[in-house]
């Protein structure tokens, strides 16, 4: 189906994949495959050292959970009868938001047929899956009765936003798994056939399972490229939209000032894509630099992804202005009790940090990326900007959730303050050690698990990228199929074995 | 002759019909009638729940709170109604400091709480007791994912089924009156003398010893014994009136009985946060200063 696409020389020149303007030799193709193979077939001592730091952080958090929270219950947190949701629910909204990058890359960019999507698809889908798991875990950690988690299926009450959440997150996780596993098949089949079964016994077993008996016939490739993905991309888009909309409805369906908002759905969606893209850019830069993947992921890819970041940043600012300025102008009493904390009260430092340092500064930084000729600066600036955005994304969820819960339910006038009020009028909340450690452990878990996943499977969809080179005329013949015709010995892969 | 329907089409149509039937079934499963807070509903639906039969037919329990009578019990650290409620429900009170201020905000369960309210700087401050408003259309029941917050068919009391609650606290976010309380740890007073007896006998659904679940005021359930709720019975001013709204009569601690409709229209009785559409069954009579 794609065989008869012809592309003229001008378009080849514009192609992202051309380094030297020359078609690639077969050796070059194989060398590039080797670049990816090096990342997941070998693990150096240094990598193990860094991974074990994350594993240790993860275990500390898990230990805190088991020793403190699992035994004593949520009493180990600093939550109270008034501020009953805290760091865990903040993390829940954050992780579900981050997961939206998979939808963006797999569905939206695929729909618009944007080419820079191809090499970063798999990394994006991995972000989605791992962060969805973290989001679900956050809710389970926050639950008072983990032993009754099955009740939500047994006694499901369809009028509850939490049940909508369970439904849409399950759908999205399933869809993302399909988006993740389906393009994995040809690569898995290749490594099933070509790895030394003696040396990599476990790997070959896993790959054999994940290859789903793929033989590499033209019909199978046709099917993969055409039918499945073309249909899936239309299905996954509304599902992904529903996920974060429903998460926002958990707050928006209540009566509470600061949450009772009709724009929460799109507001959260923009925030989700914003933070998700930032998380992806951080990981892209880190993996590109650490594993030297510049044959696949270049400064151009980073810049293109940064463009999404700019658009969502502006969109998020627009929604933030709508949400806060209009609320302030109406100056309803209860609304103002929230806004007073956020704009110039004790949460204002967090709020203005979000606005200036994690939204305005990254926006300017990302605009300036285009001026950098040196790719080193592209990497550094986009890394800094995207990490700032990630920090801001977590804090923004905090600013949405906490100030609303801190205000008293009865407006008690200027002079009369109830004798039983804490702190005059606002109820205090700051996470306890257990909450902080568990939150840190979630981030460590995310990085560790993401890395671990990339030790199991190639982090670049090799066959898809090669297929595009082929379409662009950079490689002769049907390269993805040739993956299966070639034998392992044609190219010197001695580096894989260490020396 | 061309067949009416090819095999492939027949299979597709069959699959479509099967999907429709399956989704109908799924919807039916998810919206099990007994979970919905429907107005007119067969009382038999709730029969498998605890306390489902513990209602008196033709009853709609309600409260009238006379704000001009309530003095806030300023002589005490904790108002009498709150203290009596906590005593009767065996609620943890270790969160209070010596002067009634809250030190540990997790260990304070005020099913009824007295606020001091001043509407504006011209008006006199008055005291505002807040029990569960026992909404006729309760938001907590709508948002509960497992229908642990439920409304009894017989007298439409909003109750919590602690054996089912998963502790997500969504009902606490949904309640406009913030009268739902989370038991952060196992009730330290479950060892108190009388707890077991009360748990089994007196007012079983309002006593909780589990950790990680939500509990709330449920008008004490003493109505079966012909008693008033603890808060009403303890008020030394007789500001709280309790009774069956269908019988049009409410009674306070001193046995004074008011006609509901007459009192509400004469004294401008109002419900709190009427604009939320929750239709509370607690009426407030505005404070009158002589």
């Amino acid at each position: 189906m794609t065989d008869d696409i012809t592309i003229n020389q001008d378009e080849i020149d514009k192609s992202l994949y051309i380094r030297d303007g020359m078609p690639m030799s077969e050796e070059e193709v194989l060398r590039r495959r080797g670049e990816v193979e090096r990342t997941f077939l070998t693990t150096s001592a240094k990598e193990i050292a860094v991974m074990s730091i994350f594993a240790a952080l993860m275990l500390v958090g898990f230990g805190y959970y088991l020793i403190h929270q699992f035994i004593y219950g949520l009493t180990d947190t600093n939550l109270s009868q008034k501020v009953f949701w805290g760091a865990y629910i903040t993390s829940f909204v954050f992780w579900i938001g981050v997961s939206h990058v998979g939808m963006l890359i797999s569905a939206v960019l695929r729909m618009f047929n944007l080419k820079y999507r191809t090499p970063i698809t798999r990394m994006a889908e991995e972000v989605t899956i791992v962060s969805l798991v973290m989001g679900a875990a956050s809710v389970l950690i926050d639950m008072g009765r983990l032993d009754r988690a099955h009740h939500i299926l047994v006694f499901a009450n369809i009028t509850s936003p939490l049940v909508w959440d369970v439904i849409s997150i399950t759908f999205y996780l399933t869809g993302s798994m399909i988006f993740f596993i389906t393009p994995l098949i040809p690569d898995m089949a290749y490594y099933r056939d070509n790895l030394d079964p003696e040396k990599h016994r476990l790997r070959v077993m896993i790959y054999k399972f994940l290859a789903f008996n793929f033989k590499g016939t033209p019909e199978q490739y046709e099917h993969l490229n055409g039918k499945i993905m073309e249909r899936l991309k239309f299905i996954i888009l509304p599902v992904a939209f529903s996920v974060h909309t429903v998460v926002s409805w958990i707050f928006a369906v209540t009566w509470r000032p600061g949450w009772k908002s009709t724009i929460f759905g799109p507001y959260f969606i923009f925030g989700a894509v914003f933070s998700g893209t930032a998380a992806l850019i951080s990981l892209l830069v880190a993996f590109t630099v650490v594993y030297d993947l510049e044959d696949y992921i270049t400064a151009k890819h980073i810049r293109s992804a940064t463009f999404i970041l700019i658009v969502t940043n502006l969109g998020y600012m627009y929604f933030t202005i709508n949400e806060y300025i209009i609320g302030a102008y109406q100056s309803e009493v209860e609304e103002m009790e929230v806004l007073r904390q956020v704009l110039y009260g004790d949460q204002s430092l967090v709020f203005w940090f979000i606005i200036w340092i994690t939204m305005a500064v990254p926006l300017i930084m990302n605009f300036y990326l285009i001026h950098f000729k040196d790719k080193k600066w592209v990497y550094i600036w986009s890394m800094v900007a995207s990490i700032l955005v990630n920090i801001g994304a977590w804090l923004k969820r905090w600013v949405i959730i906490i100030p609303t819960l801190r205000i008293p339910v009865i407006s008690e006038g200027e002079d009369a303050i109830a004798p039983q009020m804490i702190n005059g009028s606002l109820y205090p909340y700051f996470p306890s050690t257990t909450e902080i450690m568990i939150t840190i452990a979630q981030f460590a878990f995310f990085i560790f698990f993401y890395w671990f996943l990339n030790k199991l499977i190639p982090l670049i969809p090799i066959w898809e990228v090669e297929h595009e080179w082929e379409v662009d005329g950079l490689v002769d013949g049907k390269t993805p199929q040739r993956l299966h015709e070639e034998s392992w010995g044609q190219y010197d892969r001695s580096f894989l074995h260490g020396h | 002759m061309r067949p009416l329907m090819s095999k492939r089409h027949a299979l597709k149509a069959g699959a479509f019909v099967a999907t429709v039937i399956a989704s109908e079934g799924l919807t039916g499963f998810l919206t099990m009638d007994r979970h919905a807070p429907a107005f007119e509903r067969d009382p038999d639906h709730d029969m498998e729940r605890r306390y489902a039969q513990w209602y008196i037919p033709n009853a709609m329990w309600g409260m009238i709170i006379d704000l001009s009578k309530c003095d806030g019990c300023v002589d005490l650290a904790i108002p009498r109604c709150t203290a009596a409620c906590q005593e009767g429900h065996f609620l943890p009170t270790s969160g209070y400091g010596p002067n009634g201020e809250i030190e540990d905000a997790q260990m304070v369960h005020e099913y009824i709480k007295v606020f001091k309210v001043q509407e504006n700087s011209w008006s006199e401050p008055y005291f505002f007791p807040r029990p569960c408003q026992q909404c006729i259309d309760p938001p907590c029941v709508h948002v509960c994912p497992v229908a642990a917050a439920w409304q009894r068919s017989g007298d439409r009391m909003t109750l919590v089924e602690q054996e089912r609650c998963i502790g997500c606290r969504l009902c606490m976010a949904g309640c406009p009156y913030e009268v739902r309380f989370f038991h952060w740890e196992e009730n330290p007073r479950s060892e108190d003398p009388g707890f077991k007896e009360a748990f089994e006998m007196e007012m079983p659904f309002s006593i909780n010893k589990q950790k990680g679940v939500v509990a709330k005021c449920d008008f004490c359930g003493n109505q079966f014994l012909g008693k008033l709720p603890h808060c009403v019975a303890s008020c030394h001013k007789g500001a709280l009136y309790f009774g069956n709204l269908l019988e049009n009569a409410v009674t306070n601690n001193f046995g004074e009985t008011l006609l509901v409709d007459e009192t509400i229209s004469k004294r401008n009785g109002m419900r709190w946060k009427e604009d939320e559409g929750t239709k509370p069954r607690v009426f407030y009579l505005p404070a009158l200063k002589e």
Side-chain angles (χ1 to χ4, degrees):
Chain A
M1 155 183 163
T2 41
D3 289 355
D4 42 29
I5 295 175
T6 51
I7 292 170
N8 61 33
Q9 196 54 42
D10 287 347
E11 275 176 83
I12 294 178
D13 289 341
K14 275 185 261 162
S15 163
L16 284 166
Y17 301 106
I18 287 198
R19 293 295 107 65
D20 42 14
M22 292 285 284
M24 272 174 242
S25 65
E26 206 164 314
E27 282 72 34
E28 175 67 7
V29 173
L30 283 172
R31 188 189 65 75
R32 290 182 177 195
R33 273 181 216 171
E35 298 273 291
V36 182
E37 281 153 16
R38 192 161 31 203
T39 69
F40 75 103
L41 289 179
T42 60
T43 309
S44 69
K46 245 189 225 167
E47 284 174 272
I48 291 174
V50 180
M51 275 172 96
S52 45
I53 292 173
F54 288 113
L57 278 174
M58 201 172 93
L59 286 177
V60 168
F62 196 64
Y64 261 93
Y65 179 74
L66 277 186
I67 294 165
H68 289 265
Q69 201 175 308
F70 193 71
I71 293 173
Y72 299 115
L74 287 166
T75 183
D76 218 55
T77 63
N78 274 350
L79 299 166
S80 63
Q81 301 291 8
K82 274 291 297 181
V83 188
F84 49 81
W85 283 343
Y88 300 148
I89 294 292
T90 307
S91 295
F92 163 65
V93 183
F94 173 79
W95 288 119
I96 299 293
V98 166
S99 76
H100 277 59
V101 67
M103 170 274 292
L104 177 85
I105 305 290
S106 309
V108 180
L109 299 194
R110 202 183 281 266
M111 255 180 219
F112 292 116
N113 209 7
L114 294 173
K115 284 230 183 91
Y116 68 84
R117 161 197 76 81
T118 318
I120 63 179
T121 319
R122 192 163 292 161
M123 293 184 80
E125 280 303 333
E126 285 170 1
V127 172
T128 298
I129 288 164
V130 182
S131 61
L132 270 180
V133 170
M134 290 325 298
S138 304
V139 180
L140 294 179
I141 292 167
D142 189 67
M143 261 168 61
R145 299 294 300 227
L146 189 60
D147 53 325
R148 295 178 184 166
H150 63 283
H151 280 199
I152 204 152
L153 301 175
V154 179
F155 298 115
N157 172 22
I158 198 66
T159 55
S160 169
L162 216 61
V163 171
W164 308 340
D165 238 340
V166 170
I167 293 170
S168 59
I169 289 176
T170 312
F171 262 99
Y172 187 40
L173 189 57
T174 315
S176 297
M177 289 296 255
I178 295 170
F179 256 112
F180 174 60
I181 285 172
T182 313
L184 199 61
I185 291 171
D187 284 348
M188 292 291 97
Y190 174 66
Y191 288 109
R192 171 199 64 193
D193 296 342
N194 286 304
L195 277 186
D196 181 5
E198 292 297 309
K199 225 175 162 59
H200 301 281
R201 183 176 282 170
L202 187 64
R203 276 180 195 277
V204 171
M205 253 168 68
I206 295 168
Y207 297 161
K208 199 171 180 179
F209 173 72
L210 287 173
F212 296 106
N213 218 3
F214 188 78
K215 293 280 188 286
T217 60
E219 291 78 31
Q220 284 179 324
Y221 274 109
E222 182 96 348
H223 203 69
L224 264 184
N225 258 334
K227 265 187 183 169
I228 297 180
M229 303 313 276
E230 292 302 308
R231 286 180 187 173
L232 265 180
K233 71 187 180 191
F234 291 107
I235 297 171
I236 200 78
L237 191 63
V239 173
F241 262 66
S242 78
V243 173
H244 218 52
T245 309
V246 169
V247 167
S248 82
W249 284 350
I250 286 182
F251 305 103
V253 296
T254 64
W255 59 279
R256 286 173 186 267
W259 292 358
K260 188 177 61 178
S261 167
T262 49
I263 64 162
F264 253 38
Y267 188 26
F268 273 49
I269 294 278
F270 258 88
V273 178
F274 184 36
S275 65
T277 316
L280 180 65
I281 290 174
S282 309
L283 291 166
L284 274 181
V285 175
F287 277 84
T288 311
V289 171
V290 171
Y291 289 124
D292 196 19
L293 290 170
E294 288 180 21
D295 285 324
Y296 290 92
I297 297 165
T298 61
K300 270 186 182 176
H301 291 88
I302 309 284
R303 272 190 190 142
S304 310
T306 301
F307 179 69
I308 303 170
L309 204 60
I310 291 173
V311 171
T312 46
N313 195 337
L314 289 169
Y316 201 57
M317 277 187 169
Y318 167 74
F319 275 114
T320 306
I321 289 168
N322 266 277
E323 178 70 13
Y324 286 92
I325 302 293
I326 298 302
Y329 196 94
Q330 291 176 339
S331 56
E332 204 185 308
V333 177
E334 287 180 327
E335 196 79 35
M336 282 314 284
E337 276 170 349
V338 177
L339 286 178
R340 209 176 293 132
Q341 295 172 60
V342 170
L343 298 180
Y344 35 83
D346 56 357
Q347 301 285 322
S348 60
L349 201 65
V350 183
F351 181 76
W352 293 114
F353 177 82
I354 294 163
I355 296 295
W356 294 115
I357 308 297
T358 73
M359 280 168 80
V361 168
L363 185 67
I364 296 163
M365 285 177 86
N366 287 334
F367 271 130
Y368 267 81
L369 271 187
I370 204 143
H371 295 294
F372 290 125
K373 292 280 179 286
D374 190 352
K375 68 183 181 203
K376 189 179 84 183
W377 285 106
V378 174
Y379 290 147
I380 291 173
W381 273 58
S382 55
M383 187 73 174
V384 171
S386 59
I387 284 178
L388 280 179
V389 169
N390 273 317
I391 294 168
W394 196 90
L395 290 174
K396 188 71 183 65
R397 274 70 174 162
W398 170 280
V399 160
I400 288 172
I401 292 165
I402 306 300
T404 291
L405 292 172
R406 293 176 71 218
I407 63 166
V409 62
I410 296 179
S411 309
E412 294 174 71
E414 304 110 292
D415 307 316
I417 288 167
Q420 291 159 327
M421 276 304 218
I422 295 181
N423 229 5
S425 62
L426 295 174
Y427 290 76
Y429 173 71
F430 192 80
S432 68
T433 321
T434 308
E435 287 176 277
I436 292 171
M437 291 315 290
I438 289 175
T439 307
I440 291 172
Q442 285 190 338
F443 283 86
F445 187 96
F446 177 82
I447 296 169
F448 177 82
F449 197 69
Y450 190 85
W451 206 341
F452 182 75
L453 209 54
N454 280 332
K455 285 286 155 201
L456 268 183
I457 51 165
L459 77 171
I460 307 281
I462 302 173
W463 73 274
E464 269 190 288
V465 173
E466 288 183 358
H467 179 77
E468 291 208 341
W469 288 340
E470 180 197 336
V471 171
D472 290 347
L474 299 183
V475 188
D476 301 330
K478 293 177 168 57
T479 312
Q481 281 167 49
R482 212 190 290 165
L483 280 169
H484 291 276
E485 291 154 14
E486 280 158 3
S487 67
W488 187 248
Q490 277 188 357
Y491 172 59
D492 178 23
R493 284 176 171 80
S494 54
F495 66 87
L496 288 179
H497 314 304
H499 315 284
Chain B
M1 194 188 136
R2 201 166 151 270
L4 191 64
M5 200 183 241
S6 73
K7 203 195 232 169
R8 191 188 175 90
H9 277 109
L11 278 173
K12 272 189 176 176
F16 177 74
V17 172
T19 313
V20 169
I21 291 169
S23 51
E24 280 290 315
L26 189 67
T27 324
F29 163 71
L30 288 168
T31 54
M32 277 184 282
D33 226 23
R34 58 180 177 275
H35 296 155
F39 256 66
E40 297 304 328
R41 191 172 50 163
D42 186 0
D44 293 340
H45 273 310
D46 286 326
M47 280 305 141
E48 84 278 16
R49 290 198 194 243
R50 276 182 83 182
Y51 326 124
Q53 283 123 324
W54 281 60
Y55 68 89
I56 295 172
N58 292 323
M60 167 136 76
W61 304 108
M63 235 186 231
I64 289 185
I65 298 176
D66 192 344
L67 297 178
S68 48
K69 281 189 183 171
C70 179
D71 67 348
C73 295
V74 281
D75 53 324
L76 296 174
I78 299 164
R80 287 177 178 81
C81 51
T82 309
C85 172
Q86 286 167 344
E87 205 48 46
H89 290 81
F90 295 93
L91 292 171
T93 50
S94 49
Y96 289 115
N99 300 318
E101 75 275 11
I102 296 170
E103 282 178 349
D104 179 359
Q106 287 186 351
M107 296 309 281
V108 168
H109 295 249
E110 290 162 321
Y111 289 1
I112 181 162
K113 180 173 180 165
V114 181
F115 291 91
K116 189 179 185 184
V117 183
Q118 190 179 23
E119 304 269 320
N120 52 56
S121 47
W122 282 273
S123 68
E124 285 276 308
Y126 60 90
F127 291 94
F128 188 88
R130 176 205 60 183
C132 172
Q133 307 289 308
Q134 290 293 352
C135 312
I136 291 173
D137 191 6
C140 52
V141 173
H142 290 297
V143 298
C144 180
V146 295
W150 65 292
Q151 205 179 22
R152 189 161 61 190
S153 332
D155 53 5
R156 300 247 290 281
M157 294 281 279
T158 304
L159 306 173
V160 184
E161 199 171 344
Q162 267 107 16
E163 287 73 24
R164 190 185 277 193
C165 175
I166 58 170
C168 68
R169 313 197 278 296
L170 192 57
C171 56
M172 294 170 77
C175 177
Y177 310 101
E178 300 197 334
V179 290
R180 302 180 73 90
F181 296 89
F182 193 67
H183 283 255
W184 302 92
E185 55 188 71
E186 202 165 306
N187 194 345
R189 293 185 65 184
S190 60
E191 302 303 316
D192 282 15
F195 183 91
K196 199 166 175 248
E197 194 191 342
F199 189 78
E200 283 166 1
M201 299 275 301
E202 200 187 3
M203 29 176 223
F205 48 76
S206 55
I207 293 185
N208 175 45
K209 60 180 174 183
Q210 299 183 34
K211 75 168 179 186
V213 297
V214 168
K216 68 181 256 302
C217 161
D218 45 22
F219 282 0
C220 282
N222 277 6
Q223 313 92 347
F224 318 110
L225 309 173
K227 283 187 194 168
L228 292 169
H230 288 102
C231 52
V232 178
S234 70
C235 184
H236 72 304
K237 291 284 182 185
L240 306 173
Y241 295 80
F242 180 82
N244 186 351
L245 298 182
L246 294 182
E247 285 175 358
N248 199 19
V250 287
T251 317
N252 73 355
N253 190 17
F254 306 128
E256 293 168 19
T257 302
L258 298 179
L259 287 176
V260 177
D261 50 1
E262 196 185 301
T263 315
I264 287 170
S265 25
K266 273 191 183 165
R267 289 280 312 274
N268 283 340
M270 57 185 194
R271 297 187 291 190
W272 185 19
K273 295 199 183 182
E274 189 79 77
D275 49 338
E276 294 290 339
T278 50
K279 306 190 190 78
R281 275 180 280 174
V282 175
F283 293 87
Y284 288 95
L285 305 178
L288 299 173
K289 297 290 168 193
E290 300 298 322

